[in-house]
Amino acid sequence: MTDPVLRIRDLSVAYRSRRGRLRALRHVDLDVPAGRVVGIVGESGCGKSTLISAILGLLAPNAETEGGSIAFGGRELLTATAPEWQAIRGPRIAVVFQDPMTSLNPVLSIATQMIDIQYRSNEPTAQKRQRAIDMLTRVGIPDAAERIDGYAHRFSGGMRQRIAIAMALLLRPALLIADEPTTALDVTLEAQIVHLLKSLRQEIDGAILFVSHNLGLIAEICDEVVVMYAGEVVERADVRALFHHPRHPYTRLLLACDPARVAEDVALLPTIAGALPDLADLSAGCVFRARCPDAIDACGIPPALMEVAPGHAARCVRAHG
Amino acid sequence: MPRAACGPMAELLELENLGVRYRVLGGWRALLTPRAPRTLDAVLNASLRVAPGETYGLVGESGSGKTSLARAIVGLVPHSAGHIRFRGHPIEGGSDRALRQVRREIGMMFQDPVASLSPRKTVGSLIVEPFRIHGINRNLDTEARRLIDMVGLGPNYLRMYPHQLSGGQARRVGVARALALNPALVIADEPTAGLDVSVQGEVLNLLTQLQAANGMGLLVVTHNLPVIRHVSTRIGIMYLGRLVEQGPTRAVFRSPAHPYTAGLIAAVPQPDPDLRRDTPPLEGEIPSLRNRPSGCEFHARCRLAVPRCRTEAPAYTAIAPDRGVACHFPLL
């Protein structure tokens, strides 16, 4: 088996704050193998955004990496210098954000932006432009050859997200990070964008890290899923194993809360009682203990992320008997 | 959950052919483009009824006019056509005083819970604001405690400011405000938007429980189909400002009559990797309100469209008791 495109080991990140250190990520392990779509699912405050910022080297100034490593194509990203980042961010690791206007410049035409990002290539501009048009056509922009000279505000939200995807994939990155790419879109457009990403993955040989809070989307597009809770990876499995045989109580409760999975005649929706633990003042033991219906005395000892079946790991003492 | 009783019943809210029209071009821009349309119809010919104790789900994508419709009911935007009746009495064209009286009986929960709360007021002061606005003389401290307890928050929340609340807590404060005057109807605009899936249930269960306790009617405006399937008794689907289908929630989900409804339901991703879809259920995007398609406004996205759909607009017709659809060839 070849090395994964992205390999994160034992990554811990904390934020300095007035209330002390907020331990936003603790001992995170994550592999994104080439050609695979790995999903990260978790609710607000689970550390999804901190993890993505860490992978992109865009952590806030008050963030401190407490330890671990992020290896991308065999190269350590935690110690990468600014010029090194320039060669990685964009050409090698591309991102599609929730709001496409965060990656589109409102005062430059789409053509200018898409030609500009090919600045490393020595090809003539006409060729760069043609490549951009081909990519826009591929992501479903009608009349791309004419519309490429338009500005972002002339496109609808769904079209802007298609353009953002085209720009991200233009340089054929080895890793595409899709950070809640459809959260701002309506359900029919969301289905179209997810279908687009699914069809593009057959053509690009890169891997996709798909971050979402929407379990339905994760089930729709991902090969493997990582569930995060309060800064830790609590479960990691093949998508079928995760949805059909979840082992961590949090995963089970999260799946049970999804209204799409609740029987039609149930009027009161299930919820997870309690609140997230305070990241500045974590008690020892399992982070989910206070909310867990299955908690026992042994949960006072911090559980390790251990394999419960081949390729399936859970951070729960009860999951491995 | 209380269900609407069968048979004739006094309607709580009745909309008849309601229209909401916005002015989009004015001043010097109108002079520069004399041909451009000056108005935009956000809601067209919408008729619906909400019975006491019933939950009506108004569903649609962005720009479908669902929020405009909800705001028109309480007079936050003027309606340009049709009638609104509340408990059988028309509320249009009335004086400000008449409108204020109606607003006492209709509680409104706004889309963005934090933005709809004044950042400089404490929760305690915010939830008794309805009493002040309507000049109702009560012991406000007692009321504040009663309301904060009703929505399941402790009295310590009364001293907090909106920015100190989580999304779910802010919604609860929104519920407390909307229910402060014990209204007969509550309009909830996207009550679950932006909430985590484990918190969505909390807010909806709270509304359902309060409804069971005091029998209010509930109009929930949302784009979240899995949620509305559970909480509503009847639903209406909006497309480009028109209600294209209405009916009992279960019947509509089980066998949608309008191709748009069918596409919308099929577009919801299922949390089961064995139920993946090969093609997106609906192609294309919602057309612009400034440039409404001819005939049936859904024809360009409809896989079943025939030439007639391009030229002739379908009328909204009853197809079963309590069910109606605007389609030449309903799927039933």
Side-chain angles (χ1 to χ4, degrees):
Chain A
M1 197 179 144
T2 53
D3 274 350
V5 178
L6 183 75
R7 161 171 272 172
I8 298 178
R9 284 292 172 274
D10 203 32
L11 180 71
S12 296
V13 175
Y15 291 101
R16 288 185 305 269
S17 81
R18 275 189 215 159
R19 293 177 47 242
R21 298 174 72 80
L22 296 178
R23 308 196 55 210
L25 285 183
R26 298 179 308 283
H27 311 293
V28 170
D29 291 347
L30 177 77
D31 281 341
V32 184
R36 304 275 281 174
V37 181
V38 175
I40 298 183
V41 66
E43 300 184 283
S44 323
C46 74
K48 296 182 298 231
S49 308
T50 303
L51 180 61
I52 291 172
S53 307
I55 296 170
L56 292 167
L58 295 173
L59 282 170
N62 66 333
E64 248 172 49
T65 309
E66 295 182 314
S69 79
I70 304 177
F72 172 72
R75 190 177 196 174
E76 177 56 51
L77 294 185
L78 286 179
T79 53
T81 58
E84 281 174 327
W85 270 120
Q86 234 172 39
I88 296 168
R89 233 185 265 136
R92 307 293 302 140
I93 305 180
V95 202
V96 175
F97 292 105
Q98 178 176 334
D99 177 2
M101 286 313 279
T102 52
S103 42
L104 296 175
N105 188 326
V107 298
L108 295 178
S109 72
I110 302 297
T112 310
Q113 297 179 61
M114 290 188 78
I115 292 166
D116 278 356
I117 58 171
Q118 302 178 60
Y119 70 99
R120 282 163 194 278
S121 148
N122 295 321
E123 290 165 339
T125 305
Q127 213 165 322
K128 291 178 180 173
R129 184 183 159 91
Q130 190 53 47
R131 174 172 299 131
I133 292 170
D134 292 345
M135 199 65 201
L136 288 176
T137 310
R138 180 62 199 86
V139 299
I141 303 285
D143 310 319
E146 288 135 49
R147 299 207 68 186
I148 192 169
D149 290 310
Y151 292 80
H153 73 267
R154 300 288 296 270
F155 293 87
S156 68
M159 286 295 166
R160 284 178 200 160
Q161 198 57 292
R162 287 174 193 267
I163 295 170
I165 292 171
M167 284 180 74
L169 295 179
L170 193 60
L171 301 176
R172 300 198 157 261
L175 176 65
L176 174 71
I177 300 177
D179 184 4
E180 302 269 7
T182 63
T183 305
L185 300 177
D186 279 314
V187 61
T188 59
L189 291 178
E190 175 179 87
Q192 292 173 13
I193 294 290
V194 166
H195 179 252
L196 172 66
L197 283 173
K198 272 164 77 174
S199 64
L200 287 169
R201 63 171 289 210
Q202 330 255 312
E203 293 166 31
I204 57 165
D205 45 0
I208 301 179
L209 186 59
F210 189 88
V211 183
S212 181
H213 66 280
N214 186 329
L215 294 161
L217 289 181
I218 295 276
E220 179 88 40
I221 193 171
C222 297
D223 302 314
E224 294 162 38
V225 187
V226 169
V227 182
M228 292 187 69
Y229 177 76
E232 290 180 358
V233 171
V234 294
E235 186 158 4
R236 184 174 62 214
D238 167 80
V239 66
R240 282 203 169 73
L242 190 104
F243 279 89
H244 297 321
H245 308 286
R247 299 297 288 270
H248 196 283
Y250 174 68
T251 313
R252 261 187 247 146
L253 288 171
L254 191 65
L255 289 173
C257 282
D258 191 331
R261 283 171 77 102
V262 178
E264 198 183 41
D265 52 358
V266 176
L268 287 189
L269 294 165
T271 59
I272 304 180
L276 278 173
D278 183 357
L279 293 177
D281 183 24
L282 287 167
S283 55
C286 170
V287 276
F288 191 57
R289 187 172 41 149
R291 302 174 83 179
C292 184
D294 305 329
I296 51 172
D297 288 347
C299 300
I301 304 157
L305 186 66
M306 296 217 313
E307 199 153 81
V308 290
H312 190 159
R315 196 185 286 277
C316 176
V317 279
R318 302 201 63 178
H320 20 87
Chain B
M1 188 198 286
R3 303 244 162 198
C6 295
M9 185 166 184
E11 299 296 349
L12 184 61
L13 176 75
E14 242 184 305
L15 307 183
E16 199 188 313
N17 300 326
L18 192 79
V20 174
R21 175 171 284 179
Y22 294 115
R23 210 162 58 101
V24 286
L25 264 187
W28 58 272
R29 291 178 61 197
L31 294 174
L32 289 178
T33 47
R35 288 251 186 93
R38 305 279 168 89
T39 58
L40 180 154
D41 288 303
V43 178
L44 269 174
N45 257 337
S47 301
L48 64 83
R49 294 168 290 113
V50 182
E54 174 186 51
T55 302
Y56 184 100
L58 192 60
V59 177
E61 298 185 274
S62 323
S64 63
K66 53 192 193 302
T67 295
S68 291
L69 190 152
R71 297 177 82 101
I73 296 169
V74 284
L76 287 174
V77 296
H79 58 282
S80 52
H83 305 282
I84 305 172
R85 275 187 291 272
F86 185 68
R87 293 195 205 264
H89 301 294
I91 57 176
E92 70 253 48
S95 60
D96 282 359
R97 186 185 287 176
L99 199 56
R100 184 177 284 200
Q101 183 57 36
V102 168
R103 283 187 189 155
R104 261 173 88 150
E105 301 198 62
I106 304 180
M108 182 101 187
M109 278 175 69
F110 292 95
Q111 229 171 64
D112 185 333
V114 179
S116 62
L117 301 175
S118 168
R120 299 182 61 174
K121 289 191 169 166
T122 61
V123 168
S125 145
L126 285 165
I127 58 176
V128 295
E129 232 182 350
F131 295 101
R132 291 209 187 91
I133 290 167
H134 293 285
I136 299 169
N137 210 356
R138 295 268 180 92
N139 182 334
L140 295 183
D141 286 343
T142 320
E143 291 298 329
R145 280 171 187 275
R146 173 181 72 85
L147 289 168
I148 205 79
D149 180 61
M150 180 182 80
V151 296
L153 297 174
N156 53 320
Y157 282 92
L158 293 174
R159 284 188 301 276
M160 290 193 182
Y161 288 90
H163 75 269
Q164 294 171 298
L165 304 174
S166 71
Q169 290 161 351
R171 300 274 167 175
R172 283 171 184 267
V173 173
V175 174
R177 268 164 67 97
L179 271 71
L181 302 178
N182 204 10
L185 174 71
V186 170
I187 299 174
D189 193 358
E190 297 283 5
T192 58
L195 291 183
D196 279 322
V197 66
S198 69
V199 187
Q200 279 180 7
E202 267 181 49
V203 175
L204 293 167
N205 294 348
L206 176 68
L207 280 172
T208 314
Q209 284 159 346
L210 292 171
Q211 183 187 37
N214 68 9
M216 69 207 181
L218 199 51
L219 178 67
V220 179
V221 178
T222 186
H223 66 275
N224 190 331
L225 284 136
V227 158
I228 207 66
R229 180 173 198 174
H230 284 282
V231 300
S232 67
T233 37
R234 280 167 57 234
I235 56 168
I237 313 288
M238 289 191 81
Y239 189 75
L240 279 185
R242 293 179 203 271
L243 273 159
V244 295
E245 178 163 7
Q246 285 187 90
T249 308
R250 276 193 197 191
V252 172
F253 271 93
R254 204 151 290 165
S255 51
H258 198 287
Y260 176 65
T261 314
L264 207 55
I265 292 170
V268 176
Q270 292 303 309
D272 183 343
D274 295 333
L275 298 177
R276 291 186 177 181
R277 301 153 300 181
D278 294 329
T279 48
L282 273 182
E283 304 281 358
E285 299 186 12
I286 297 186
S288 163
L289 287 171
R290 291 168 189 239
N291 194 8
R292 287 177 176 272
S294 62
C296 170
E297 290 169 345
F298 185 62
H299 78 255
R301 299 176 75 190
C302 186
R303 287 187 185 148
L304 307 169
V306 298
R308 180 182 169 199
C309 302
R310 267 197 293 280
T311 52
E312 190 185 327
Y316 183 87
T317 340
I319 47 165
D322 204 26
R323 272 198 85 171
V325 65
C327 177
H328 292 306
F329 309 100
L331 300 169
L332 284 187

